[in-house]
Amino acid sequence: MRLVRYGRPGKEKPGLIDEEGKLRDLSGVIADVDAAVLAPKSLRKLEKIPHASLPLVRGNPRFGVPVARVGKFICIGLNYADHAAESGQPVPKEPIVFMKAISALNGPDDAIMLPQGSKKTDWEVELGVIIGTRAQYVSEADALKYVAGYTVVNDVSEREYQLERGGQWDKGKGCDTFGPVGPWLVTSEDLYDVQDLDLYLDVNGKRMQTGNTATMIFSVAQIVSYLSKFMTLEPGDVIATGTPPGVGMGRKPQRYLKKGDTLRLGIAGLGEQQAEVIAWTAKK
């Protein structure tokens, strides 16, 4: 099942993408795609609704972040060995954990805004994990039972802020619009193997990143279990699981985003994002 939130920013309605790829309205069934809906029992109830009975949505509305009221936006760094190598970093012995600000959340096709004075804004296509059940100290064997579904994340990063401004990665990760998520949430049972998904990212039509989740250093199950030992994971929390090689910082010469660039990125079975890079403007 592919769940979405569509409409103007702040006014999104819940919906789903049916078997024919058509957008159906869910607002007569649920108020939003939120923590209550992500519980296993609630998802099973939604799955049983005949999708053809739901109203069709006409046109091509904007998609928002597929989960409402995200509580935590957690990220894992250097989780692909070849990305660690291109970054000049050793392969981590334990997951590297940092946070993106909730205010960085962005619709999958919304514009990405360069921060004031930005010189090194970079791209990172990542598998996103959406928690469905409260998790504390869960085992690796049980960890995937706590996942509601998966999505596409672009962990946009300002490398100067991240690496040259006194430490703490968060400064280069949490700028406004630096967290595009979506287009949809694909529920867990609709993915055969989350550790065998192709990822890709293009800049201005040129392929920059190609990878597969099979080469992650720490699997989704390992990540969820690990994080649950340090913080309570709540329904609706989003985890970005790391990026494959091909980021701008790792290229020779280095290549960073500038106004007018376009991004196209996606993950097999999880949909695609397309965004334009714009100059900074005050967020309304």
Side-chain angles (χ1 to χ4, degrees), residues 177-200:
T177 75
F178 271 26
V181 178
W184 40 69
L185 180 164
V186 177
T187 51
S188 298
E189 66 272 12
D190 278 16
L191 283 185
Y192 177 71
D193 184 359
V194 72
Q195 298 303 155
D196 186 19
L197 300 175
D198 291 329
L199 306 86
Y200 62 91

Side-chain angles (χ1 to χ4, degrees), residues 202-246:
D202 299 343
V203 179
N204 299 335
K206 180 180 179 181
R207 183 59 46 93
M208 296 294 188
Q209 287 187 275
T210 303
N212 187 285
T213 57
T215 64
M216 288 166 59
I217 298 167
F218 304 104
S219 68
V220 172
Q222 289 174 312
I223 290 167
V224 172
S225 175
Y226 184 86
L227 290 175
S228 76
K229 295 175 172 63
F230 298 96
M231 64 189 83
T232 299
L233 300 175
E234 301 282 0
D237 286 350
V238 176
I239 305 168
T241 59
T243 197

Side-chain angles (χ1 to χ4, degrees), residues 23-117:
L23 175 59
R24 301 275 179 173
D25 179 43
L26 271 176
S27 58
V29 181
I30 57 175
D32 211 337
V33 181
D34 56 15
V37 171
L38 298 177
K41 185 177 179 179
S42 298
L43 288 177
R44 286 194 296 269
K45 189 180 295 186
L46 272 184
E47 186 70 57
K48 291 178 181 177
I49 297 172
H51 295 173
S53 69
L54 297 168
L56 272 174
V57 179
R58 305 295 180 185
N60 295 291
R62 167 192 173 270
F63 284 171
V65 176
V67 180
R69 294 175 290 282
V70 174
K72 293 190 287 296
F73 197 168
I74 311 161
C75 300
I76 305 299
L78 304 177
N79 197 29
Y80 290 72
D82 33 15
H83 172 56
E86 73 175 352
S87 302
Q89 301 291 328
V91 173
K93 293 182 172 62
E94 293 190 38
I96 295 172
V97 180
F98 61 93
M99 310 290 278
K100 288 180 86 80
I102 297 303
S103 54
L105 285 165
N106 211 32
D109 299 332
D110 292 348
I112 293 170
M113 187 170 61
L114 297 172
Q116 285 187 348

Side-chain angles (χ1 to χ4, degrees), residues 100-175:
K100 288 180 86 80
I102 297 303
S103 54
L105 285 165
N106 211 32
D109 299 332
D110 292 348
I112 293 170
M113 187 170 61
L114 297 172
Q116 285 187 348
S118 169
K119 300 175 182 176
K120 297 182 179 181
T121 294
D122 206 346
W123 56 82
E124 295 189 12
V125 59
E126 308 200 5
L127 171 68
V129 177
I130 298 175
I131 297 297
T133 303
R134 196 168 190 260
Q136 293 177 304
Y137 295 98
V138 302
S139 68
E140 183 180 330
D142 290 336
L144 295 186
K145 298 176 184 176
Y146 294 80
V147 175
Y150 301 92
T151 191
V152 181
V153 173
N154 187 357
D155 176 20
V156 185
S157 310
E158 216 297 346
R159 302 301 189 187
E160 182 188 20
Y161 299 178
Q162 177 188 356
L163 302 171
E164 302 173 34
R165 299 289 293 272
Q168 298 299 326
W169 285 13
D170 299 39
K171 287 189 287 190
K173 299 286 190 170
C175 302

